[in-house]
Every structure is written in C-alpha cells, then in structure tokens.
Amino acid sequence: MPLSDFLDGLKDNPYFGAGFGLVGVGTALAVARKGAQVGMVFFRRNYMITLEVPSRDKSYHWLLSWITKHATHTQHLSVETSYMAHESGRVHTQFDFHPSPGNHIIWYGRKWIRVERTREKQMLNLQTGTPWESITFTALGRDRQIFFNILQEARELALKQEEGRTVMYTAMGGEWRPFGFPRRRRPLSSVVLEAGVAERLVDDVKDFIGNPRWYTDRGIPYRRGYLLFGPPGCGKSSFITALAGELGYSICLMSLSDRTLSDDRLNHLLSVAPQQSIILLEDVDAAFVSRELLPTENPLAYQGMGRLTFSGLLNSLDGVASSEARIVFMTTNFIDRLDPALIRPGRVDLKQYIGHCTAWQLAQMFRRFYPDQPPSEGDRFAKLALAVHTEISAAQVQGHFLLHKMDPAGSIDDVAQIRG
Ligand SMILES: Nc1ncnc2c1ncn2[C@@H]1O[C@H](COP(=O)(O)OP(=O)(O)O)[C@@H](O)[C@H]1O
Ligand SMILES: [Mg+2]
C-alpha cells in the first residue's frame, strides 16, 4: 500500500480524528504545566531555601536525633538496632528510633519546615556498603539563619547526650558510626591494676596529648602506639574504656578479623577516625588464630582471610598522612604470637603487661567492693585467695564478689570457689 493511501485511510478513522481534535487541549495543558513548573522553579529559587545534608557528613547523625525530637507527630519511624556481644557472654541490644525515609513536617522557629529523608535504593555508598542517604530541609523565605540554628541545636543536643559519656564507634564500611548510645564514663579507679601501672599509662598518654610541638618540631608523625598484653579478664579492655573516659575521648573499635577489611579500607578508616579518639585493635593475635595458625613468621600472615595484608596493616598503622594526634591501643592475650614487626618501637611505643591479680590488687578490690569492712579484711582475703590459686583474674574476683554481694565474710570463707 502506498504511503498516501495509508494516510488517507487514517484521516477517515474516527479515533484518529478525535485524537487530532484533542491535540489543541493537550498543548494548552502542556503549556500550563510548563508554566507552573517554571513558576515553581522561580518560587523555589527566590522564596525557598533548602539545605541538603549527606549521610557522610558529621552532622547527619546529630540531625537525625534532632528531627526525632522535633518531629513528635510523625508516625513513620525506622529503627536502628545496635547489638553487641560482650566477651563475658552478656549481650547488649538497643533500639534507636529515627524518622523513616520520606517527608516530615516540623514546626520550628515559627516556620514550617519540610524535612525529607531520602534513601537511594539503586545507589550504594561503595565505601560503606550502606544505602546512600541524605536529609533535605526546605523552608520558606530567604533567611539561612534558620538552618544555622538547627545545626547548632542538633550539635548541642548531641554533645549534651555525650557529656560525661564515652562514645564507641565501630567501622561500617568506610566510615565510623556511633555504636549505641554513649555509655557513662567508667571511672579509672574502678579498674584495679597492679600498683603504679595505671598511672604510668595515664601519664604517658597525657604527656603525648599535651606535646604536639615536640613531634612537629622534629618532623615525627604525631602518633603513639600502646600494647596491653596478658591473660584474659584482667582488665585490658576495661582499662582502655576508663582511660578514654578520663581523657574525654571516644573509642574507635576495629576488628582485624573482619573479613571485609582490606588494606585500603583500613588505611581510609584510620585516616578518617573522629578527632579525639582512641583507635582500639582488640585481640590482634586473633587474626592469626582465625587463619588456622599459619606460622607467625609468615609476613603475609593476614592474607587469605580477607584482603588485609600484613604489610597493609603495618602501613596503615604508620599512618603517614595523619596530622591529628593518633593514639592506637592494641590488646592481646598472646604476645608471643605477634609478629615482631607489628610491635616494634614506632608502632608500639609502650608495652604493658596486665597480669593476674597480685595480693595488693586483691586487697584493693575487696576494699572497693566492701567499703564498710576494716581494711585488714582485704589483706586477709588476698592472702587466703592466693594460697588457693596463684592465677586469679580480676574478672573472676568480680564474679566471686557478685555471688556474695552482701556477705563479705562469706566471700572470704568461700574463697576456694573464686575460680568458678
Ligand atoms: N583490673 C580490674 N579491675 C576491675 N575489674 C576488672 C579488672 N579486670 C577485669 N575486670 C572486670 O572483668 C571483666 C572483663 O575484663 P576485661 O577488661 O574485658 O578483660 P580483658 O580485656 O583483659 O580480657 C569486666 O567486667 C571488668 O569489669
Ligand atoms: Mg579484652
């Protein structure tokens, strides 16, 4: 069929004809819509202000809490569950409610503010493996001050929550996320180490923090590494938590046996760690164990379990790029399983053995737990305990006291049961 015939045929088709008639209306609608769009764009440009906060920004989490506090009417929440299994077997979970992705309207500063939390379904943050998120605030008017006020309030709110508390961060992909609510600071005095040990460590760290000039003047990277070693349950982790509290620092907890950890990611994480924080590498020997105990001499020891190589670990620890004070604490139950390169001076500047309880520690712990008892009872307890067992961990002492909460005499009588 020639083309002209085909077109003629179309003209007679009633549907096509009707469609043709509608084009006029359609165009008018399209123009109107376009006009409205242009108008909206104009309105937005001139009479609305917006602020976008991406999830990687520090204030993002502050703002989430701020929104939760202000969007009291919102019925659409999402939950963030923090879960942590302690070595003691205690499991800690916590639910945080946040406004869910979508729109929320907040009345603030005598203005309506639209808050839109968006989550990109298609797009993952490649570094963190988490969905890309952002919050956008939109307000009428031209005054940016309102956003400053919000940011400031959000920050103050967050800082108030953190006051007197220790924030724990864990690595999520390429960033550090606060883990659960900040915990109440653990007082240093609650961790009873052998006489002088805690003081030695605290003085060293304080001295380091107080003297950045010494390092910059000599062109030495401003970092200091510590290794606490010794049997489990003797206070390595507790001491570091208490130390962070004493300094007003947060803790960035990093697990080397994390299978998704690569050289690049570790390096990145160490360079973006929050200011005033202690990087804590717990049980650094465990990376070896999970590799089914390859010979520890093997410099590629960490390979195979993840993409983290031993040399990658060393490079990250040396942290050439960091200009911030960098405090790294490592703990291990088995110092002899560690490669000497990992703990040589410059990477680990101070090693401290945290061992089983001495008589002094036992007496001290007794007196702390039963403050009403005459001090001599503490000495009696210590002597009896060490007569039965020479290797007692502070965790065992603590457990023993808890079994005899109100009964100091019973705690002494039953001392043979101290190791459970
Ligand atoms: N020196 C200590 N003084 C007081 N409590 C201690 C001490 N050592 C351990 N504990 C208690 O025992 C438990 C385990 O201690 P932790 O610090 O995790 O030991 P580590 O890290 O050396 O294995 C914690 O509940 C802690 O309160
Ligand atoms: Mg520990």
Side-chain angles (χ1 to χ4, degrees):
M1 187 166 55
L3 184 62
S4 54
D5 286 0
F6 175 63
L7 287 177
D8 278 348
L10 270 187
K11 228 188 287 169
D12 298 336
N13 183 320
Y15 297 105
F16 188 71
F20 227 53
L22 273 179
V23 170
V25 182
T27 319
L29 269 180
V31 168
R33 201 178 303 133
K34 188 85 193 153
Q37 270 172 5
V38 171
M40 194 61 201
V41 168
F42 179 81
F43 184 75
R44 264 180 202 252
R45 264 204 202 134
N46 292 283
Y47 300 104
M48 279 170 132
I49 46 171
T50 62
L51 170 76
E52 197 206 355
V53 186
S55 54
R56 71 187 122 76
D57 193 87
K58 182 153 181 69
S59 58
Y60 183 81
H61 283 272
W62 300 348
L63 285 167
L64 276 188
S65 314
W66 184 89
I67 299 167
T68 310
K69 189 173 162 225
H70 281 81
T72 38
H73 297 301
T74 202
Q75 286 151 302
H76 308 288
L77 299 164
S78 60
V79 67
E80 196 171 284
T81 308
S82 317
Y83 176 94
M84 191 185 251
H86 293 263
E87 282 161 82
S88 57
R90 196 157 41 96
V91 168
H92 176 101
T93 48
Q94 181 183 306
F95 304 109
D96 286 328
F97 286 116
H98 287 308
S100 64
N103 287 321
H104 306 270
I105 302 285
I106 290 177
W107 177 249
Y108 174 79
R110 283 187 282 138
K111 274 202 167 99
W112 287 109
I113 298 176
R114 190 178 78 146
V115 179
E116 187 183 14
R117 183 174 173 203
T118 42
R119 180 176 286 167
E120 293 287 343
K121 290 216 171 54
Q122 316 297 338
M123 219 159 72
L124 282 189
N125 179 346
L126 285 181
Q127 273 175 353
T128 62
T130 49
W132 196 266
E133 292 190 0
S134 65
I135 310 177
T136 309
F137 291 79
T138 308
L140 288 178
R142 291 173 170 211
D143 189 5
R144 295 179 195 182
Q145 189 59 38
I146 190 163
F147 291 150
F148 283 112
N149 294 347
I150 291 177
L151 283 166
Q152 197 127 4
E153 247 184 51
R155 190 191 58 195
E156 276 160 23
L157 192 72
L159 293 186
K160 201 153 39 165
Q161 275 174 3
E162 290 171 10
E163 210 173 62
R165 287 165 191 269
T166 306
V167 186
M168 278 290 228
Y169 291 93
T170 49
M172 274 264 249
E175 60 186 81
W176 294 98
R177 292 267 185 100
F179 176 82
F181 279 120
R183 296 119 202 264
R184 181 158 303 148
R185 281 185 192 162
R186 177 169 185 155
L188 264 177
S189 59
S190 76
V191 186
V192 183
L193 302 184
E194 175 55 331
V197 169
E199 290 76 8
R200 174 176 179 231
L201 288 163
V202 173
D203 288 351
D204 191 281
V205 178
K206 284 192 172 165
D207 187 59
F208 168 72
I209 294 172
N211 284 306
R213 274 290 299 277
W214 192 91
Y215 289 81
T216 44
D217 285 355
R218 286 161 184 77
I220 301 173
Y222 190 32
R223 63 172 306 282
R224 199 152 174 87
Y226 298 84
L227 175 74
L228 303 187
F229 63 101
C234 293
K236 298 181 293 294
S237 308
S238 317
F239 174 77
I240 297 166
T241 316
L243 175 70
E246 166 79 14
L247 301 172
Y249 272 39
S250 47
I251 294 182
C252 293
L253 188 60
M254 176 93 244
S255 164
L256 290 185
S257 33
D258 175 354
R259 277 161 194 284
T260 64
L261 195 62
S262 65
D263 290 358
D264 284 347
R265 194 152 84 81
L266 179 65
N267 209 357
H268 174 79
L269 281 168
L270 293 188
S271 63
V272 298
Q275 299 181 339
Q276 308 209 315
S277 59
I278 290 176
I279 310 272
L280 175 54
L281 306 177
E282 284 269 40
D283 302 311
V284 275
D285 57 275
F288 292 95
V289 176
S290 52
R291 247 185 339 90
E292 282 138 7
L293 284 171
L294 281 184
T296 41
E297 304 81 63
N298 183 355
L300 300 175
Y302 286 82
Q303 259 177 7
M305 40 165 303
R307 283 162 298 155
L308 179 67
T309 65
F310 188 62
S311 59
L313 169 63
L314 298 185
N315 281 336
S316 306
L317 283 176
D318 294 343
V320 226
S322 121
S323 53
E324 259 281 312
R326 187 48 73 241
I327 301 175
V328 179
F329 266 87
M330 299 186 221
T331 69
T332 180
N333 297 339
F334 310 97
I335 193 176
D336 45 344
R337 286 193 195 166
L338 300 180
D339 192 301
L342 181 63
I343 53 176
R344 69 137 209 250
R347 296 197 179 110
V348 168
D349 303 284
L350 198 159
K351 301 187 191 76
Q352 178 63 54
Y353 175 67
I354 309 280
H356 289 121
C357 291
T358 61
W360 186 84
Q361 271 171 287
L362 288 168
Q364 195 78 0
M365 287 181 79
F366 186 92
R367 289 181 205 129
R368 271 194 61 86
F369 205 90
Y370 307 108
D372 300 334
Q373 293 294 301
S376 58
E377 284 296 275
D379 297 320
R380 196 161 76 87
F381 167 77
K383 213 168 148 198
L384 287 171
L386 287 175
V388 208
H389 302 289
T390 45
E391 296 186 340
I392 303 169
S393 72
Q396 287 163 341
V397 180
Q398 182 178 286
H400 180 74
F401 288 163
L402 285 172
L403 284 179
H404 303 86
K405 247 187 211 157
M406 303 297 167
D407 183 15
S411 149
I412 296 182
D413 292 343
D414 284 351
V415 77
Q417 262 81 59
I418 201 166
R419 289 184 46 167

